[in-house]
Amino acid sequence: MKGKTITVENLVRKFSMKVLAGENLEEKMIVQSRVHRPGLEFVGHFDFFPTERIQVLGRKEINYLHKLSKGERKLRIGNIVNYHPPCFIVTAGVEGLTYLTQYCIEEGIPLLATNKPETTTEFITKLDAYLVKQLAPEMTIHGVCMNVSGIGILLRGHSGVGKSELAHTLIGKGHRLVADDVVVLKKLSQQTLLGTHDEKTKEFLALRSVGLLNVVRLYGRKAFQEETRIALDIKLTKWQKDDLNNELEHEPEYTEYMGIKIPTIEIQLQPGRDVAGLIEAAANNWYLRQQGYSAAEEFMSRIEGEFSDSGQ
């Protein structure tokens, strides 16, 4: 698992922003997800000032600064720039901001401005989502990641067990490939694990005896998805007749990734067995359980009902 950083230059390119002040943007690092609007700080409250976050100035903040006297404005802005946040972003237009530009130049703090006609809230929502994904702790695993009926699934197993071939079968059934061979997992929150590719293998599926396939070129855009929230972890193992679990419902198992527990099931492989169909069933059954339904519980209630009726 590793944390990540991005540069202010990455931010400028991603959101097509104007650079009003700042040099060597590729050296200015952003390490904190989520942004901050320094309203309280402008009036002197610094008890909880998140200094490592991007500072966003919307119409309220800019109008407040414009109304201050020159000396008061210098004091208010100076109190914030002294903490050297990674950058300031203005979303309310840049008219009359020469004083802010000058302060940022003097302190070496990048000052950026948005180009698109959107509200500050809309921009912050997009920026927060981008930062959370880019700065999320991540790890890589060997396997395949699929989106099956809208549900993110990891397929794991020893090399050569047939993970990629199974993914190809699922694509033929209308499901989507996310990543083959190298799966990147990102921890977005304490409950959310995102699966994606590592860019190099994007859209590629490697099949033994056939070679490398580009699933988008072969089957269209519907065959591929950039990322998916992981809900199920499926282990593909060799057939062991005596190990098959035939209970109505067994104790759930989990695999932990970066502190997040993912429900895990084992599917044994055997020639002629419809493993793709079993994965579809597992995905749909997981969805029903999220809605509060259990087939095993309904079955047992029917049996108990029969015994109750026969005892009358």
Side-chain angles (χ1 to χ4, degrees):
M1 182 177 70
K2 58 180 180 179
K4 294 182 67 177
T5 62
I6 58 175
T7 67
V8 173
E9 185 179 38
N10 294 146
L11 216 60
V12 171
R13 290 201 304 265
K14 173 65 179 179
F15 294 95
S16 302
M17 289 188 284
K18 298 177 184 176
V19 179
L20 305 180
E23 297 178 350
N24 302 320
L25 300 184
E26 71 280 359
E27 297 177 4
K28 304 292 184 180
M29 307 306 296
I30 299 168
V31 298
Q32 282 282 342
S33 59
R34 308 296 183 189
V35 303
H36 180 67
R37 295 183 73 172
L40 288 174
E41 289 75 23
F42 277 138
V43 295
H45 295 282
F46 287 88
D47 291 346
F48 303 102
F49 182 37
T51 58
E52 292 186 329
R53 292 188 184 182
I54 296 169
Q55 305 298 311
V56 176
L57 307 180
R59 190 165 301 282
K60 291 180 181 179
E61 291 82 10
I62 295 301
N63 286 344
Y64 172 76
L65 290 175
H66 284 343
K67 292 177 181 178
L68 296 177
S69 66
K70 185 176 180 180
E72 187 71 11
R73 186 187 299 145
K74 182 176 182 180
L75 174 65
R76 300 300 185 190
I77 295 175
N79 286 339
I80 293 180
V81 298
N82 284 339
Y83 285 95
H84 285 85
C87 67
F88 287 100
I89 299 178
V90 177
T91 64
V94 297
E95 295 80 7
L97 285 182
T98 53
Y99 58 87
L100 182 58
T101 303
Q102 186 59 38
Y103 292 138
C104 287
I105 291 173
E106 291 173 0
E107 295 294 330
I109 301 172
L111 175 61
L112 315 175
T114 57
N115 272 317
K116 296 182 179 179
E118 57 189 348
T119 66
T120 303
T121 301
E122 290 171 339
F123 174 74
I124 287 177
T125 299
K126 291 196 306 184
L127 180 55
D128 274 345
Y130 172 75
L131 291 174
V132 166
K133 286 184 180 179
Q134 292 299 311
L135 298 175
E138 68 175 43
M139 63 181 292
T140 59
I141 65 168
H142 174 67
V144 173
C145 183
M146 296 288 301
N147 183 281
V148 177
S149 300
I151 296 164
I153 292 179
L154 291 176
L155 301 177
R156 295 188 296 114
H158 293 301
S159 181
V161 78
K163 299 182 294 295
S164 298
E165 289 84 352
L166 180 56
H168 184 258
T169 301
L170 287 167
I171 291 170
K173 286 172 161 280
H175 307 297
R176 295 178 174 181
L177 174 71
V178 176
D180 179 43
D181 192 36
V182 178
V183 181
V184 178
L185 300 177
K186 296 189 175 188
K187 182 181 180 179
L188 301 190
S189 72
Q190 294 301 320
Q191 296 82 34
T192 306
L193 188 69
L194 192 75
T196 187
H197 51 80
D198 70 346
E199 290 295 338
K200 295 188 294 292
T201 59
K202 178 180 178 179
E203 302 176 357
F204 288 126
L205 183 66
L207 298 179
R208 281 180 169 79
S209 303
V210 176
L212 201 60
L213 306 181
N214 185 310
V215 298
V216 172
R217 294 292 185 94
L218 279 177
Y219 304 115
R221 178 52 54 185
K222 66 181 184 347
F224 176 76
Q225 185 166 313
E226 285 282 347
E227 58 192 28
T228 188
R229 179 174 177 174
I230 303 299
L232 272 177
D233 181 63
I234 296 180
K235 297 191 314 186
L236 304 174
T237 60
K238 293 182 179 180
W239 180 263
Q240 298 288 337
K241 182 179 179 181
D242 295 335
D243 288 345
L244 285 179
N245 193 317
N246 292 316
E247 297 176 10
L248 292 180
E249 192 166 54
H250 57 87
E251 193 70 22
E253 296 182 4
Y254 298 90
T255 301
E256 190 170 303
Y257 298 100
M258 294 179 288
I260 301 176
K261 291 183 177 180
I262 303 297
T264 301
I265 64 174
E266 179 182 342
I267 295 180
Q268 294 188 10
L269 305 178
Q270 186 184 46
R273 199 174 195 212
D274 183 12
V275 179
L278 291 175
I279 289 175
E280 289 178 316
N284 291 328
N285 195 49
W286 175 88
Y287 176 79
L288 287 176
R289 290 190 66 83
Q290 304 313 297
Q291 310 307 307
Y293 172 79
S294 168
E297 290 176 6
E298 182 180 0
F299 178 75
M300 292 306 299
S301 68
R302 292 183 186 181
I303 298 298
E304 291 170 3
E306 278 192 17
F307 280 123
S308 177
D309 292 341
S310 64
Q312 293 180 352

